[in-house]
Amino acid sequence: MQTDIYRVNVGPIHPSTHGGLHAEAVMDGEIIQDVIVHLGYVHRSVEKIAESRTYQQFVPYTARLDYLATNLPVLGYCQTVEKLLGIEVPERAEYIRVIMAELSRIASHQIAIAATGIDLGATTGLMYGMRDRERIMNIFEMTGGQRLLSSYIRIGGVAADIPDDFIPAVRSFVNDVPQMIDEYNGLMTGNEIWAARMQGVGILNPEDAVKYGVTGPNLRASGIAYDIRKAEPYGIYDRLDFDIPTGSRGDSLDRWTVRIEEVRQSGRIIGQALDNLPEGEIIARVPKTLKPDPGKDIYHRIESAKGELGYYIVSDGGNKPYRLHVRAPSFINLMVLPLVCRGGVFQDIITNIATLDPILGESDR
Amino acid sequence: MQEFNLEQMVQNLEEQIGDKLRTVRDQFFIVLNIDKSELRSLMFKLRDDYGFNHLANLSSVDYGEEFELVYHLYSIPANDKICVKTRVVRNSAEVDSLIEIWSTADWQEREVYDLMGIKFKGHPNLIRVLLPDDFEGHPLRKDFVMGGR
Amino acid sequence: MEALFVNLAAVLSGWLTSLGLSPIWADTVLLFVKWIIVITIITLNIIILIWLERKVSAFFQERLGPNRLGPFGIFQTIADAIKLLTKEDIVPSAADKLIFKTAPMFFIVVAVMLYTVIPMGQGMEVINLNIGLLFFISIGSLSTIALLMAGWGSNNKWSLMGAVRSVAQMVSYEIPLAFSLLGVVMISGSLNLQDIVAAQGKLWFIILQPIAFITYFIAATAELNRGPFDMPEAEQELTGGAYTEYTGMRWALFFLAEYTNLVAVSALMATVFLGGWQGPWLPSWLWIIIKTYGVILVFFWVKWTFPRIRMDHLMSFSWKVLVPVSLGNILLTGAGIYFCRWMGWC
């Protein structure tokens, strides 16, 4: 039978593209032949802006990269600058940072869980994820005064000490994490339709994952236990005990379960950080103008919720970065979207976007 | 892939490549400054002989007369890291594409082309990735005029 | 109370004849009155149903749902209806105007026609048709054409994909739907819905035909385009499917028709499997309402719990599971009837 290839534009305005993603699907009937990804709808020229802002002024811009896990990109940037200048961060600040970073990771994964739920038509799943994330937002509000984009982590430490009701709130949240996971699993993971839509969909084998530079939960779902918190520990992660959940098939279901397991592990990390939280200073003595040595450059990376988030900063001796580059995990993870979609049916695009969990603010910068 | 030592590797590479390779050590990375003609062969060696399978970061810096391309490589099983830098002159900014070695170079090279205007020889689809197709200029160059249009 | 509406009709008919109308004309007028009543009930029902679905889904999702207008937000739907009525009516310039505009009307007319045969109580139906069940199934399948019209007329890829999916889905699920009702017809020996209700005097067919009930429920969910089979609509994938280009009242008509279908199918389910209007103490017309709403709540429950199924799984589920199972059920029912006669029980 004579058939025509037709193109469907998923996005940039589409309910399931998590922001301004534009995936042009080349379809043969219901079968995907190729997906062409068009980016840049949320491009805000962050790297260029960095060149005209001082090191401190740039902190809030980083919070707007991955706005769903706001503390992680801020943490990455602050650590990069601290490393560049050789600033020692006080012990207490390090622990608070770990708590905030892991809470952000949970918040990001819960959005991923919620969004996957609604993308696959399980609308109730959305509300479950959002409901639990709301508690994290309340905790953020306690510390930085801001819920979504709290630039609470600063160069040298954190902006303010934690309030009295912070620890009980975090503790009760962490205690409820296993129960939340049971709920997600009960509503979604255990569902036959859910498993049928995810199993074997969007398989990313480990060789391709490494070749394409995929990092984070997506890489671990392909069976490679690579986590920067273990491989190249930053902050105080070498003192904390946690596991790296991995998948075996590298399909959407693995990416989904790996994220859920990471929520559990982050809960464990926060528990340990709370137990060992020392007293003391919360921010190091940082000069008003930061002037790293001229000609120095640094690449520092952290394990963000989406993968390897790196900052490459070149200094010319001034108080502004000469060049700042963000290695955005979402940008690089999105590169495999055509690879994992090919040969699937149309609805798999939605599943794959949801389980690859890109965030367009970070991807487009 | 046998056990190896990073210093040993650098020595071997220096012997093989000669004066086109200049090694600098700073407190974070061992930096291999390579002439752009040898970039591809060096990268092949690094991936195949020394197991650097993860091209983490591909970036570029504008130094006026010259652009510098910066590659940060990691080896996932052995947990080693190395930085490779190469320079191209401004008015003939072109360098070999690494897309054959690491597929991840695809969009990263497109981004460098988009924002810095460095061309990559052998890249199959070198078009803008972040900016609109009809955008004029490359904004991360230092001589890019900002302000209202 | 039991014969309230039947008596009202008799009084009205008597009054009309006393005015000098011939019995045929009196009957015709009465038919129109019945139709108007049915349409009023449908409209009121939908206002309640939309509110109920929002409240029920809010309950599942630990939200509050509508709670501003009136007690428990009961007037929210009315406000929404006013909003939809006053909205701009946009017809895409590339659309096939005639098809685009008639599709929603066609859809709602088909949906309302389903009510013709449903017994709303003892002796309460618009027409007591002796092929009632067949009529219901055949009219119900016409809504496919309305969706195809909407999808084709919109001249939009998403709409067309939604329409094509809906045709594929409805044609596939029509078969298990009809097959699962055949078992009931075999036992009751009639296609007349009042007869089927009467045959359930002792035992509801849900007990005699549990497999048919389940296959019918699944097939009906697909026929209604409700989650997890809401493929033609699929907001998250097809951005609204066949309804993508519709605005204002045209869109609202689709919405109304979907709920009208929902009530009709649930009422049929109550009639065929749950003993219809029969029940103790309460009047018959109240029983059918209670049973229908019970079935509707199960539909809500399913929709707000399950994720959407994938298109190819949906098709293979129909052809590879539902059709064989419902065919097997027919075989089993036939054998059961013979066994029953052989034993002399019936």
Side-chain angles (χ1 to χ4, degrees), chain A residues 199-320:
Chain A
Q199 220 152 27
V201 169
I203 294 176
L204 180 64
N205 59 40
E207 294 78 36
D208 280 339
V210 173
K211 218 167 68 180
Y212 276 92
V214 173
T215 44
N218 300 331
L219 177 68
R220 295 192 277 277
S222 293
I224 296 176
Y226 186 67
D227 187 320
I228 298 164
R229 289 174 293 176
K230 289 265 193 208
E232 200 185 6
Y234 52 91
I236 53 156
Y237 275 103
D238 45 352
R239 298 179 218 165
L240 300 166
D241 174 40
F242 61 99
D243 301 326
I244 305 175
T246 51
S248 51
R249 299 176 302 269
D251 58 1
S252 286
L253 192 63
D254 271 350
R255 293 198 276 273
W256 162 264
T257 44
V258 161
R259 280 206 178 82
I260 288 190
E261 270 314 302
E262 279 190 13
V263 171
R264 200 192 297 278
Q265 296 303 328
S266 291
R268 270 179 71 192
I269 295 174
I270 298 170
Q272 292 167 42
L274 282 175
D275 291 339
N276 301 323
L277 186 66
E279 292 297 320
E281 291 287 303
I282 49 136
I283 189 157
R285 295 199 165 274
V286 181
K288 280 251 163 11
T289 39
L290 299 176
K291 285 188 176 173
D293 301 335
K296 222 172 166 186
D297 66 339
I298 181 172
Y299 176 73
H300 175 70
R301 54 188 199 146
I302 67 163
E303 181 72 30
S304 127
K306 273 56 176 195
E308 173 179 343
L309 175 71
Y311 287 91
Y312 176 64
I313 299 181
V314 182
S315 153
D316 64 347
N319 61 353
K320 297 166 187 163

Side-chain angles (χ1 to χ4, degrees), chain A residues 231 297 308 322-323 327 365, chain B residues 56 60 62 79 85 142:
Chain A
D297 66 339
E308 173 179 343
Y322 181 73
R323 168 85 169 95
R327 192 268 189 210
R365 279 157 282 160
Chain B
S60 56
D62 181 2
N79 211 4
K85 289 182 182 177
K142 290 286 175 187

Side-chain angles (χ1 to χ4, degrees), chain A residues 17 27 56 64 84 144 146 178 188 203 235 271 287 291 357 365:
Chain A
T17 51
M27 310 278 301
Q56 289 99 329
R64 277 131 185 98
L84 191 63
Q146 235 275 28
M188 295 180 273
I203 294 176
K291 285 188 176 173
D357 189 29
R365 279 157 282 160

Side-chain angles (χ1 to χ4, degrees), chain C residues 107 110 114 134-144 170 174 223 261:
Chain C
F107 202 31
V110 166
L114 293 176
L134 186 66
F135 178 85
F136 191 95
I137 296 171
S138 40
I139 293 294
S141 55
L142 278 179
S143 58
T144 319
M170 286 195 169
E174 205 79 357
E223 282 288 296
N261 274 331

Side-chain angles (χ1 to χ4, degrees), chain C residues 1 10 31 34 53 57 61 92 104 121 131 143 163 168 175 185 188 198 218 220 233 239-240 260 283 294 302 324-325:
Chain C
M1 281 303 275
L31 196 65
K34 280 180 186 174
E53 173 143 36
S57 65
Q61 303 181 347
I131 50 157
S143 58
I175 294 157
V185 175
S188 65
I218 296 170
E233 205 178 323
T239 66
T260 314
V302 169
V325 166

Side-chain angles (χ1 to χ4, degrees), chain B residues 10-119:
Chain B
V10 172
Q11 249 176 38
N12 288 350
L13 285 173
E14 275 173 342
E15 281 165 20
Q16 282 170 19
I17 299 170
D19 58 351
K20 284 186 173 172
L21 178 72
R22 202 166 45 81
T23 315
V24 181
R25 290 173 178 79
D26 65 16
Q27 66 194 97
F28 312 115
F29 278 94
I30 296 176
V31 183
L32 306 174
N33 287 297
I34 183 85
D35 190 276
K36 76 168 187 175
S37 58
E38 289 292 325
L39 178 72
R40 236 170 86 90
S41 62
L42 171 72
M43 290 303 201
F44 263 118
K45 277 194 195 104
L46 283 175
R47 185 193 71 175
D48 295 339
D49 302 346
Y50 302 104
F52 285 97
N53 51 1
H54 178 46
L55 171 63
N57 185 40
L58 197 169
S59 180
S60 56
V61 192
D62 181 2
Y63 285 115
E65 282 305 297
E66 283 181 320
F67 294 123
E68 189 170 71
L69 281 143
V70 188
Y71 303 86
H72 291 96
L73 303 178
Y74 287 80
S75 134
I76 283 184
N79 211 4
D80 284 315
K81 59 179 182 179
I82 200 155
C83 174
V84 178
K85 289 182 182 177
T86 186
R87 290 207 169 204
V88 290
V89 289
R90 192 180 195 89
N91 39 29
S92 66
E94 192 170 38
V95 72
D96 287 327
S97 170
L98 301 183
I99 194 164
E100 278 172 59
I101 312 177
W102 297 283
S103 307
T104 179
D106 185 351
W107 286 12
Q108 300 200 43
E109 283 176 354
R110 272 173 70 186
E111 187 196 330
V112 170
Y113 165 72
D114 189 357
L115 302 176
M116 195 65 94
I118 300 171
K119 290 202 176 67

